[in-house]
Amino acid sequence: PDADFSDKAHRKGESKGVLSILSMLAEDLANEIKVAQKAEEAAQLDFESALAAAATLQEKLEEKRTNLKVAITNRKADKGEEESKLETNEGDLSDEEKYEQEIKPDCDFMINNFDSRAEKRTAELNGLREAKEFLAGYEPDSDLALQQSAGKLSKVTLRTVARA
């Protein structure tokens, strides 16, 4: 068999193809690095922004937590005061109910007998008025008013003088 040899320049273009591929890979890699750096910078800025927002939120939440603890403490103190007032009021209510039970029979008696007692008081007032009118027209005997018994005025004389 005869050996066929190609000439020297036969593979000359093939090396340019490999070099161009390598140069394209290098360019693509450089572009990817630039894009990745820009993306990393943007991601870092977003991260820092989110970190700052998280720190602000954490401060607000911690402040809210502190305020809530204070509010809970105040509410517990208020609740304790209210429970103390409740106990006092319940004691006062119990005392009032006992007092009401003590005076109820007297009150019921007054309510049930009010009309008859009012009639009796009216009759008594009328009787006193009639007695006063009777006595207003009465003139005592002058000798009777001056009677003395052992240096003292008699009971009849004292009554007569007192009414005059």
Side-chain angles (χ1 to χ4, degrees), residues 25-70:
L25 285 175
E27 286 176 11
D28 286 345
L29 184 60
N31 284 336
E32 285 181 21
I33 290 173
K34 286 181 186 177
V35 170
Q37 284 176 342
K38 288 181 183 178
E40 179 65 24
E41 288 175 6
Q44 184 66 31
L45 290 175
D46 289 344
F47 170 76
E48 289 173 0
S49 174
L51 184 63
T56 304
L57 179 63
Q58 183 177 7
E59 289 175 10
K60 287 181 181 179
L61 290 175
E62 286 175 357
E63 182 180 343
K64 184 175 181 178
R65 180 180 180 204
T66 303
N67 291 340
L68 287 173
K69 283 184 177 182
V70 169

Side-chain angles (χ1 to χ4, degrees), residues 125-138:
L125 282 175
N126 290 338
L128 289 172
R129 223 178 268 124
E130 289 174 9
K132 183 178 175 183
E133 289 171 4
F134 174 76
L135 292 175
Y138 177 74

Side-chain angles (χ1 to χ4, degrees), residues 57-97:
L57 179 63
Q58 183 177 7
E59 289 175 10
K60 287 181 181 179
L61 290 175
E62 286 175 357
E63 182 180 343
K64 184 175 181 178
R65 180 180 180 204
T66 303
N67 291 340
L68 287 173
K69 283 184 177 182
V70 169
I72 288 170
T73 303
N74 291 340
R75 296 291 186 245
K76 284 182 180 178
D78 291 346
K79 181 181 176 185
E81 290 174 11
E82 289 296 323
E83 286 174 350
S84 174
K85 286 180 184 178
L86 176 65
E87 289 175 9
T88 302
N89 288 342
E90 286 175 346
D92 291 346
L93 177 63
S94 175
D95 292 344
E96 290 293 323
E97 288 172 346

